[in-house]
Amino acid sequence: METELSHELGIEHALFGFTPFPAVAAALSRAGGFGVLGAVRYTDPDELRRDLDLLERLSGGHPYGLDVVMPARTVEGVTEADVEAMIPEGHRRFVEDLLDRHGVPPLPEGERSGWRITGWLEQVARAQLDVAFDHPVRLLANALGPPPADIVARAHDRGVKVAALAGSAHHARRHAEAGIDIVVAQGYEAGGHTGEIATMVLTPEAVAAVDPLPVLAAGGIGSGEQIAAALALGAQGVWLGSLWLTTTEARLPSRALTEKLLAAGSGDTVRSRALTGKPARQLRTGWTDAWDDPAGPGALPMPLQGLLVADAVSRIQRHEVVPLLGTPVGQIVGSMTTERSVRAVVDDLTRGFDRAVRRLSRIAGTGIAGTTASPASPANAGGGATGAGR
Amino acid sequence: METELSHELGIEHALFGFTPFPAVAAALSRAGGFGVLGAVRYTDPDELRRDLDLLERLSGGHPYGLDVVMPARTVEGVTEADVEAMIPEGHRRFVEDLLDRHGVPPLPEGERSGWRITGWLEQVARAQLDVAFDHPVRLLANALGPPPADIVARAHDRGVKVAALAGSAHHARRHAEAGIDIVVAQGYEAGGHTGEIATMVLTPEAVAAVDPLPVLAAGGIGSGEQIAAALALGAQGVWLGSLWLTTTEARLPSRALTEKLLAAGSGDTVRSRALTGKPARQLRTGWTDAWDDPAGPGALPMPLQGLLVADAVSRIQRHEVVPLLGTPVGQIVGSMTTERSVRAVVDDLTRGFDRAVRRLSRIAGTGIAGTTASPASPANAGGGATGAGR
């Protein structure tokens, strides 16, 4: 699975993995892919530094990247307290009622909320980047479009490529104009924030919109066959997130969540504003149902919703309150039925990819006779027309 | 594009096209694909007979099929009048108010409603099938899952294959158990009735669910690259509907609608109950907005909604009321920017498919060395390892 982009980055497979776990990112980079550590959950720059040190050590010299959540335009000087003050009292009561109804205890004395995403705050994201640029990261990805221009310049000065997620061709074009190097086209079926255009349609649209910039396809990709599909659509690689959640290297907040992921089908996710205020695909739970209920108050806009629910999500995770327990994950969750090492997953992906390409070559057999030999007919391996394989 | 299924049906390309227009179906069959005529709009069996005669004449001996909309279980003896009587008065008023607001005149005196789908009625669908079985149709497809068991048996007695649309792996499995021969896996991004699972995820799930029955992928497919993607996912062919709407052989009810389709982007469709009562992807219009508005009465269940809106849709089409004018169409509408003949479209599809497969073979280059020659390096056509192409 070698494309211009993977060649340029010096990796074996054009296989990019987003993960909040350094051990997963490192294992993927070691397996020939490209691990990208999600930074949004690091409120403390020292914690990020420690995990990037770990990632550097574990990755054995293979390249890796960092994913931040940074608005292109930020309001200077806005603190978390300023945003907290904007949350209506009725919404706070709705959260408490919901937790009470499910008998969710508070966090144990002295334990702080683990689920708290503040990486979108200007000063937090910039502190994260100061740490990142101290490390040999090769890619800086941003979940909210292009990072601010000075950050793009700073990355380029250091030879760091910049990637930006896009849910439409229009956004992809705008990102390209902001000087980024790679577009991650995130389809409707993806876990996390998504638009409504499916990967099958979005990928070629994004490719056409930003040509010659490379596009990574994201959403609906959890097998080698799906990688082949994404590359057939013109992507120069794939961006996988959900698939790593059930690897043995992942460290989910609770065993019950892993069990839920292993049991879930492709129809058990929902695109909901329940977690961040923007539509993000996640496991459908009592939590998402409550926020998506037209009779309820509905989710607040980003970033208010994320702040509003941070403690609640921590409590649900801490006490393993199964009916409310969820996580962002894509529709491929239906195919995540066993726990395997990252290496085993990558081996499966490359084998499935090769199998799919061989099948396609057979199907194309007569159409591109003379250029693709049919593996089903060794006698034809010398080249030349063959209509036999399908 | 030859698969086991296309081989069995004696067609050149595993390319199935659903269309309400006999001329489009015939042109596709003549171009090496497989045209499938949609029967749902034929209220009069004689009209269907005339169009099937035309299709037989135009297809020049190439095989073709018929698509019906038949519930697996029907309530005997229910007439259109019985269903009409179930429509609440408030909904009728909502329709009239909406048409008044947009100044939509009535149909001219003596002109009957053209948009009227009654094919779902037991007696109408059975009359359609009597006509169909008088013609050498090779495939009977059903949009609402498997047809009743006696119809499946009747089709099989005549050597007619039976296909059924499915929006989930669960439905696909149920259809297979009902004895059908082909599953059409209809992804979220498709035009018309769809579920919420995107083609990228649904196709391999359906393939695994009904193996060894063949699966046709539907939804998000309008280019050869997208066909390659669908076949990489394990489909034995593709089922295309939207793409034919802007071919020169199509006969849309108004020129304004063609213009709207040519101008629409991939984000201009919506999955709405506005037309039939079940979620169906279509152009987003003032009509769908009114029915999807939480402040409105909301759509009635199938088949009430279809009956309720039939005359209104005819009036909107007849008078080309552009803000309300729509049609079922998938997210690929963004790529439908020119009017071309069916033959030109098929040529494009096969060329794009070959191009995508060649690119994939180059990307797989090192991975499946020795089984697939790299077209970029003619010197390697003798077989053997090559890592050059990408």
Side-chain angles (χ1 to χ4, degrees), chain A residues 22 37 39 42-57 64 66 126-136:
Chain A
L37 182 67
Y42 294 93
T43 46
D44 177 357
D46 287 336
E47 226 178 302
L48 177 60
R49 184 183 310 277
R50 210 183 50 223
D51 274 2
L52 277 175
D53 287 344
L54 178 67
L55 173 49
E56 170 67 17
R57 213 162 51 241
Y64 56 85
L66 189 75
R126 289 195 174 264
Q128 287 175 348
L129 287 169
D130 288 339
V131 173
F133 287 135
D134 277 349
H135 292 79

Side-chain angles (χ1 to χ4, degrees), chain A residues 1-4 7 188-189 196-201 204-205 219-221 225-226 228-236 266-267 331-332 334-335 353-354 356-364 366-368 371-375 381-383 387 389-390, chain B residues 1-4 7 188-189 196-201 204-205 219-221 225-226 228-236 266-267 331-332 334-335 353-354 356-364 366-368 371-375 381-383 387 389-390:
Chain A
M1 285 190 284
E2 198 182 348
T3 62
E4 285 92 340
H7 188 69
Y188 160 87
E189 55 269 65
E196 297 197 347
I197 313 294
T199 297
M200 192 70 118
V201 174
E205 284 193 339
I221 309 173
E225 287 78 4
Q226 285 158 333
L231 299 186
L233 298 171
Q236 285 226 9
S266 59
Q331 291 187 335
I332 64 144
S335 66
F353 176 76
D354 290 344
V357 176
R358 278 197 301 268
R359 178 169 180 271
L360 274 181
S361 298
R362 286 198 298 275
I363 292 173
T366 49
I368 55 171
T371 57
T372 304
S374 167
R390 71 186 53 95
Chain B
M1 285 190 283
E2 198 182 347
T3 63
E4 285 93 340
H7 188 68
Y188 160 86
E189 55 270 65
E196 296 197 347
I197 313 295
T199 297
M200 192 69 118
V201 174
E205 284 193 339
I221 308 173
E225 287 78 4
Q226 285 158 332
L231 298 186
L233 298 172
Q236 285 226 11
S266 58
Q331 291 187 335
I332 65 145
S335 66
F353 175 75
D354 290 345
V357 175
R358 279 198 301 269
R359 178 169 180 269
L360 274 181
S361 298
R362 286 197 298 275
I363 291 174
T366 49
I368 55 170
T371 57
T372 304
S374 166
R390 72 184 51 94

